[in-house]
Amino acid sequence: MSAVRAVDALRTTCPRDCYDSCGVLVLRRGGRIAAVRGDPAHPVSRGHLCGKCSMAYNHEWLDPARRLTRPLKRVGPKGAGRFEPTSWEQAIEEIATRLTGIVERHGAAAILNAHYTGTISLLAGLAPMRFFHRLGATEVTPDTICNMAGHVALRLLYGTSLDGFDPRAAREAACILVWGANPHASAPHAHEHWLPEAPGRVIVIDPVRTPTAARADVHVQPFPGSDAALAFALLAVMHRDGLLDRAFIAQHVTGFEELEPALAGADLASLAALTRVPVALIERVAHRYAPGPSLLWLGQGLQRQRTGGNVIRACGLLPALTGNLGRPGAGVLYLNGNLAARGIDEAYLTAPHLAPAPLPSVSHMDLAAALSDPGRSRALFVWNMNPLASAPRQRELKRALEREDLFTVVLELFATDTTTLADYVLPAASFLEFDDLVVPYFHMALSAQVRAAAPPGEALPNLEIFRRLARALGFTEPELAESDARILATLLARSGLGETFDSLAAQGTVWIPRDGARVQFAEARYPTPSGRIEVASAQAEAAGLPRVPQCWADAPPGAGLLRLLSPADAWLLNTTFGNVERLERRLGAASIGLHPDDAAERGLAEGAAARVENACGALTLAVRITTEVPRGVALVHKGRWLSGAPDGANVNVLNPGEKSDMGESTAVHGIEVRVRAATC
Ligand SMILES: Nc1nc2c(c(=O)[nH]1)N[C@H]1C(S)=C(S)[C@@H](COP(=O)(O)OP(=O)(O)OC[C@H]3O[C@@H](n4cnc5c(=O)[nH]c(N)nc54)[C@H](O)[C@@H]3O)O[C@H]1N2
Ligand SMILES: Nc1nc2c(c(=O)[nH]1)N[C@H]1C(S)=C(S)[C@@H](COP(=O)(O)OP(=O)(O)OC[C@H]3O[C@@H](n4cnc5c(=O)[nH]c(N)nc54)[C@H](O)[C@@H]3O)O[C@H]1N2
Ligand code: SF4
Ligand SMILES: [Mo]
């Protein structure tokens, strides 16, 4: 038969910001992509992508009519959304000229670089930092929009936040405690396979009765922001009932004596009242977790609270004080993001030595303010992000992006809310269109992302765009001209894994170590200043934080107010996929989940329009009455686009950008709102 009918299958990897990092199989007919599926040989995806990726990758992502395919230049006023196509040569030349002028007049720090994890692959996600280091632009500190408080907290306690347990250890765990993560949405294959197949008991601690919580052996439902008090309650029971591992503490922990009085003196009844978790349930969880071997998964949702850093520090005490570390089936995980643990040379990849000085930085919580101030910002780069929809202070941010004198360049696959406000929109290639490497942040693996087709139109991979800009700016450092193939080959040669890109591509994924779960902290080496687990931390003290974790709970919402949680939606990936038609139809209008009593108190019936407001902004949402949420908590999933929404806004219009106690990080799950019937 003709070659047109011949089908070939190519392995690649999904590089979305997702715990699963699925193996993907691309079926091609006549050199064109015919279907994008899960790789049956990949132990995570087992032949199936999640529903959202399956819909997006087989439709919008392959459709040149939906993708950005040519560089676009703004014509008309900011925000009017009028662009005309231009050539790459002209776009790059004009951008370089504008940047040169800004650097000369205002300094490179007036250029802000906003980027995050729209793709987590190494060349498209990290290597562009070579360019920004050389430029000396202000770094909009990436993790502050997501998980920085947890990183700071775990570094204080363990010296690392990136070296979690190997998920394969679940086979040997008697108990898995999932605290403030919702794998049903954020790690769908872990929800589907990893947790159900684990022989141990599953405990979920989440204010929301998520599908993950509903399927668990035990669901504990604390009030949001009260988890540090809950951790102290659990530890107090363990202390009382002789469940702490004194030998482990003596050998590996420093500063326990500074914490012990708080455990000995804890009043369980008041902690139960504070957390809204009954004493009997606290006792049950303490007795289930402590003997182990137990795994503790600390979710990113858990720390998006006003005292989220203290929460993670307190919850992180559990494995340290029960000896649930350094043995098979035991451990703690936040993110397995350590590139070095896969042999990846991050300094080579991102070339920080090209920076004239340490990069100035600003938290995402202050992005709107920084962009509103011409004294602080003259240009903005956005890549792998859609900040107008995902960042706080949405109204202020929109006004700032409307500044005629703010020169904004956005690299994107699709026309998004953010690209509407750009001066230049540069079409980026998708993961299906260039070779790269993916370092999963849950599984201990290294995966290949393999080019399956040419980019549509004139789209280019991120890194190629920055190579061209570097050339136009007259940057001559060889790092800025190095080809993708060279970088991939060098990374793999240095990794010590014995793979070339082709050999890795043939396998899709290699597991590290290859022969099964690594025991976390097997050598009991904790990279803290003392080399031990630091329950009491001089570093914390020097940073103006308490020396030891505190038994705190955030104040409950004021009279008439509700605590607003806006976690991951199972059918969106942050705001990625907000433009996928089938998903839009499936999701329907944006809604607010309310407890039946909270809805009744406000005279709100199912489907009614609710006005949700606070000092930051207001939003109209359809009421969804549900017992998933406890009284006092409202649930609005993140990820909707502004365009097409009735108010031209999404949940982040309500987000004041309050910082948590550590790392200038987001406290987005600490928002309070007033909810009432919308009047027409
Ligand atoms: N489908 C899908 N997958 C995603 C994403 C997505 O948007 N959609 N986003 C990706 C990204 S960027 C990230 S960071 C991860 C995040 O994924 P997760 O780590 O799972 O974090 P969240 O979805 O923010 O929240 C998880 C749970 O934390 C709960 N929570 C909120 N506040 C508290 C609290 O005070 N205490 C406790 N115990 N629980 C609390 C929420 O109710 C929620 O069910 O998911 C990634 N995966
Ligand atoms: N209310 C509320 N807001 C939140 C959160 C919350 O829990 N509640 N969570 C926060 C969290 S955890 C995060 S991580 C942020 C995420 O927010 P963002 O970092 O803005 O992530 P996305 O919205 O997914 O936008 C990523 C964009 O990258 C684009 N993209 C994908 N691949 C490529 C590529 O190869 N090149 C280029 N140039 N672009 C690409 C996609 O098309 C998409 O538009 O949102 C935060 N916002
Ligand atoms: S987003 Fe996550 S679950 Fe979906 S295909 Fe990608 S890696 Fe798999
Ligand atoms: Mo995130």
Side-chain angles (χ1 to χ4, degrees):
M1 297 297 281
S2 73
V4 181
R5 309 257 322 253
V7 175
D8 69 78
L10 180 142
R11 290 210 156 98
T12 185
T13 304
C14 177
R16 303 278 72 76
D17 187 337
C18 170
Y19 294 91
D20 284 349
S21 304
C22 288
V24 175
L25 206 60
V26 181
L27 305 180
R28 296 188 300 185
R29 197 171 287 121
R32 294 172 69 97
I33 296 177
V36 183
R37 304 218 197 292
D39 179 356
H42 192 269
V44 175
S45 49
R46 304 186 189 181
H48 298 280
L49 303 179
C50 65
K52 57 191 181 300
C53 287
S54 188
M55 289 186 202
Y57 293 165
N58 287 292
H59 295 95
E60 279 77 357
W61 284 53
L62 298 182
D63 182 355
R66 296 299 301 269
R67 291 276 299 277
L68 292 166
T69 55
R70 299 186 63 184
L72 299 175
K73 177 183 178 171
R74 170 168 74 94
V75 289
K78 267 272 166 90
R82 290 214 310 276
F83 294 90
E84 68 182 20
T86 179
S87 67
W88 272 113
E89 291 70 23
Q90 201 175 352
I92 295 286
E93 204 44 57
E94 287 178 11
I95 295 169
T97 305
R98 284 292 295 269
L99 292 180
T100 305
I102 289 168
V103 172
E104 277 168 8
R105 279 193 300 280
H106 307 282
I111 304 169
L112 269 56
N113 175 27
H115 60 104
Y116 204 43
T117 47
T119 180
I120 64 163
S121 63
L122 298 183
L123 296 189
L126 286 176
M129 283 311 295
R130 290 181 171 192
F131 171 79
F132 287 100
H133 281 133
R134 169 64 182 81
L135 186 61
T138 293
E139 181 75 340
V140 186
T141 314
D143 286 340
T144 55
I145 202 165
C146 176
N147 53 29
M148 192 64 166
H151 285 304
V152 175
L154 289 171
R155 268 185 243 139
L156 292 172
L157 189 60
Y158 289 108
T160 171
S161 57
L162 295 173
D163 300 284
F165 61 71
D166 185 328
R168 289 173 289 183
R171 281 184 217 122
E172 288 156 302
C175 171
I176 302 182
L177 174 48
V178 182
W179 200 330
N182 175 23
H184 169 257
S186 62
H189 295 85
H191 172 79
E192 193 61 30
H193 306 299
W194 183 71
L195 277 174
E197 288 169 11
R201 292 302 179 95
V202 176
I203 303 169
V204 171
I205 305 184
D206 195 313
V208 180
R209 192 160 176 82
T210 62
T212 311
R215 201 197 251 192
D217 297 297
V218 182
H219 177 206
V220 181
Q221 223 170 346
F223 198 76
S226 71
D227 299 82
L230 180 58
F232 271 78
L234 290 167
L235 290 166
V237 170
M238 295 173 192
H239 183 264
R240 183 195 70 192
D241 297 348
L243 294 168
L244 297 184
D245 187 335
R246 298 277 173 178
F248 186 91
I249 293 171
Q251 222 181 336
H252 304 297
V253 172
T254 174
F256 176 64
E257 63 288 351
E258 294 181 47
L259 185 83
E260 194 169 11
L263 304 185
D267 172 11
L268 270 185
S270 30
L271 291 180
L274 207 56
T275 58
R276 306 191 191 175
V277 180
V279 171
L281 187 54
I282 295 172
E283 288 172 331
R284 191 167 152 216
V285 171
H287 280 260
R288 173 72 63 196
Y289 173 86
S294 294
L295 297 175
L296 173 61
W297 176 359
L298 298 173
Q300 298 167 80
L302 175 60
Q303 49 87 63
R304 290 187 196 126
Q305 297 290 354
R306 284 170 216 150
T307 53
N310 181 64
V311 164
I312 296 288
R313 237 177 132 198
C315 298
L317 292 171
L318 261 66
L321 303 188
T322 57
N324 270 302
L325 290 171
R327 53 178 169 139
V332 55
L333 178 138
Y334 186 48
L335 294 169
N336 262 328
N338 187 348
L339 300 188
R342 278 75 164 199
I344 297 298
D345 183 346
E346 188 171 355
Y348 162 71
L349 183 63
T350 62
H353 60 272
L354 297 181
L359 294 181
S361 64
V362 60
S363 163
H364 270 287
M365 300 307 101
D366 297 323
L367 178 64
L371 291 176
S372 303
D373 179 357
R376 291 174 74 185
S377 56
R378 291 284 162 169
L380 170 69
F381 267 92
V382 179
W383 46 289
N384 300 348
M385 273 206 97
N386 183 13
L388 187 55
S390 57
R393 308 186 80 88
Q394 194 165 78
R395 280 199 311 214
E396 188 184 344
L397 183 58
K398 182 157 186 289
R399 276 197 303 276
L401 292 171
E402 283 165 353
R403 264 176 60 197
E404 286 288 335
D405 62 340
L406 180 74
F407 180 63
T408 301
V409 179
V410 184
L411 283 63
E412 251 297 350
L413 271 59
F414 297 98
T416 66
D417 293 321
T418 305
T419 63
T420 311
L421 289 152
D423 292 277
Y424 279 91
V425 181
L426 303 179
S430 88
F431 78 106
L432 295 166
E433 297 147 8
F434 59 99
D435 290 343
D436 209 328
L437 292 171
V438 175
V439 174
Y441 62 70
F442 186 66
H443 297 289
M444 281 307 299
L446 179 71
S447 303
Q449 172 187 307
V450 181
R451 178 184 155 111
E458 297 173 18
L460 294 172
N462 288 353
L463 189 55
E464 172 59 18
I465 298 174
F466 289 112
R467 267 193 296 260
R468 292 184 184 197
L469 264 175
R471 205 160 49 230
L473 281 161
F475 296 166
T476 52
E477 291 79 358
E479 294 90 329
L480 301 177
E482 203 176 9
S483 71
D484 286 13
R486 260 288 292 274
I487 301 176
L488 292 174
T490 307
L491 285 172
L492 285 168
R494 291 184 183 181
S495 73
L497 293 171
E499 302 288 347
T500 62
F501 189 78
D502 287 345
S503 70
L504 182 63
Q507 300 163 80
T509 291
V510 291
W511 296 83
I512 303 167
R514 292 180 199 247
D515 52 355
R518 169 188 54 91
V519 174
Q520 187 190 19
F521 296 128
E523 279 89 42
R525 275 204 298 273
Y526 302 94
T528 56
S530 65
R532 294 156 71 90
I533 302 167
E534 298 202 345
V535 168
S537 162
Q539 271 189 322
E541 202 173 24
L545 298 164
R547 256 179 79 77
V548 290
Q550 298 294 305
C551 181
W552 288 341
D554 293 346
L561 302 180
L562 299 176
R563 191 67 170 259
L564 177 68
L565 301 181
S566 52
D569 190 308
W571 292 97
L572 295 169
L573 198 299
N574 298 319
T575 75
T576 302
F577 305 146
N579 60 338
V580 175
E581 273 169 24
R582 277 158 221 237
L583 293 174
E584 282 180 274
R585 278 204 295 278
R586 179 174 193 112
L587 286 163
S591 67
I592 181 163
L594 296 174
H595 186 274
D597 295 344
D598 285 328
E601 212 171 77
R602 290 162 177 78
L604 290 166
E606 177 76 17
R611 193 70 178 157
V612 185
E613 56 201 351
N614 59 18
C616 188
L619 195 61
T620 305
L621 295 164
V623 170
R624 191 171 61 87
I625 298 178
T626 172
T627 51
E628 274 174 330
V629 290
R631 279 212 77 172
V633 174
L635 181 64
V636 179
H637 289 108
K638 67 172 163 178
R640 298 304 187 110
W641 284 28
L642 280 53
S643 59
D647 306 293
N650 72 9
V651 66
N652 281 316
V653 81
L654 301 164
N655 182 358
E658 192 181 346
K659 290 177 188 165
S660 68
D661 55 342
M662 293 185 199
E664 299 194 66
S665 196
T666 176
V668 68
H669 293 332
I671 298 173
E672 289 177 9
V673 289
R674 194 172 295 284
V675 180
R676 58 178 171 83
T679 44
C680 311

